[in-house]
Amino acid sequence: MSIGYRELAAVLRSRIEDGTYPRDTTETLPKHQELAEEFAVNVKTVRQAVRLLEAEGLVTVIRRRGTVVRRQPSMKRLGAERYAKSKWKSGLVAFAADREASGRGWTPGDQTNHVRLVEADAEVAAALGLPVGVLVYERERLVKEEGVPTHILTSFYRRDHVEGTPLVNPAPGPAGHGGGFAVLTAQGFEPDTITEALHARMPTPDEVRELQLPVGEPVVVLKRTTVTQDGQAVEFARGVHAAARFEWFYRFKISE
């Protein structure tokens, strides 16, 4: 008896999970006609099954190439550990700490950098304790892993905190030795407490283009506010992450 596209998708999904079809951008699933013959279904059923897997983020259909099984998350994003003062005071920025946890080093082409003065929107103004419309520095980075975009990170700073520092230098890569937190510390604004909030949503058209997202992949948005020991907000950041390219890792002690 012929199977339906959902049953076929379940079989293909199982083969992806057990490694029969490797998660590798150089490998593809068998051609539609071959799958149709193997499972005694028509090609339309195969196409429907593949579309279902594509919507789940398991495969990507590439014209003239075939159906590629997508890799598992390639970046492990550390939780609180990525911000340990011992790391950025010794010159290892949070971005590099993630690379270290993933077993990869940083190269100059891994991060673009665009710096400009912008008017603070309501969210940025509230986070930094400023009136809406005040000029703040915006530092936007597109981060890549092995040439593939993983996330867009945009940080905002008060002008009087970072004017003339490496944080407003548009050169690609981290800001100076130790990154932004080391720069803020040198300015007398040592980060002490970080608040992060995460939520998932579907990407905007611009995010699909910049992150090269396949059909159906959501993004994870991280919003971070960093303050000093005396409560002065020194950074607000928005990160837009390709959901399938990250593993989010947290370790913490359970409070009483």
Side-chain angles (χ1 to χ4, degrees):
M1 183 176 67
S2 179
I3 64 174
Y5 77 93
R6 292 184 184 277
E7 291 80 11
L8 177 55
V11 174
L12 298 178
R13 188 185 301 111
S14 177
R15 290 183 178 183
I16 291 171
E17 291 171 351
D18 69 17
T20 301
Y21 300 142
R23 291 180 179 268
D24 191 326
T25 56
T26 64
E27 299 290 333
T28 61
L29 293 183
K31 294 180 180 179
H32 287 188
Q33 185 60 48
E34 294 174 4
L35 289 170
E37 292 172 1
E38 179 183 354
F39 293 98
V41 298
N42 59 44
V43 172
K44 179 182 177 182
T45 300
V46 175
R47 289 198 189 102
Q48 289 176 307
V50 168
R51 279 200 293 266
L52 185 58
L53 297 179
E54 186 177 29
E56 294 174 8
L58 291 175
V59 302
T60 300
V61 178
I62 301 177
R63 190 178 179 185
R64 295 194 181 93
R65 206 174 142 203
T67 305
V68 176
V69 181
R70 298 181 59 194
R71 291 182 178 180
Q72 293 178 321
S74 57
M75 283 286 289
K76 176 178 285 189
R77 187 186 185 283
L78 301 178
E81 294 175 354
R82 76 193 304 261
Y83 299 124
K85 293 184 179 182
S86 60
K87 286 184 167 59
W88 48 269
K89 286 187 174 180
S90 66
L92 182 65
V93 298
F95 164 58
D98 285 344
R99 290 299 167 93
E100 184 182 74
S102 300
R104 297 177 180 86
W106 177 84
T107 61
D110 286 340
Q111 179 176 300
T112 63
N113 192 19
H114 300 284
V115 179
R116 60 179 182 153
L117 282 170
V118 300
E119 293 184 358
D121 62 23
E123 187 173 51
V124 172
L128 295 179
L130 297 169
V132 173
V134 168
L135 289 178
V136 295
Y137 272 108
E138 174 191 85
R139 188 166 181 261
E140 182 183 66
R141 289 88 81 200
L142 175 64
V143 183
K144 298 180 179 181
E145 169 74 4
E146 298 181 337
V148 178
T150 58
H151 62 292
I152 303 163
L153 181 61
T154 308
S155 301
F156 300 89
Y157 305 93
R158 297 173 63 119
R159 292 183 68 181
D160 57 317
H161 287 179
V162 300
E163 196 86 67
T165 73
L167 272 171
V168 297
N169 184 341
H177 184 69
F181 285 3
V183 173
L184 289 169
T185 298
Q187 291 291 101
F189 304 105
E190 180 175 325
D192 181 77
T193 303
I194 293 173
T195 301
E196 291 189 340
L198 292 164
H199 73 273
R201 61 168 170 77
M202 296 309 295
T204 66
D206 285 344
E207 290 164 353
V208 169
R209 176 180 51 79
E210 286 193 73
L211 292 173
Q212 300 173 20
L213 297 173
V215 174
E217 180 168 341
V219 292
V220 175
V221 179
L222 180 147
K223 296 180 181 180
R224 178 180 77 207
T225 304
T226 304
V227 302
T228 62
Q229 191 171 37
D230 62 3
Q232 168 72 69
V234 291
E235 180 209 46
F236 175 71
R238 298 186 186 116
V240 179
H241 303 71
R245 300 172 196 171
F246 272 84
E247 177 182 3
W248 303 78
F249 179 82
Y250 291 89
R251 173 170 42 224
F252 50 88
K253 288 188 176 296
I254 300 172
S255 59
E256 295 296 333

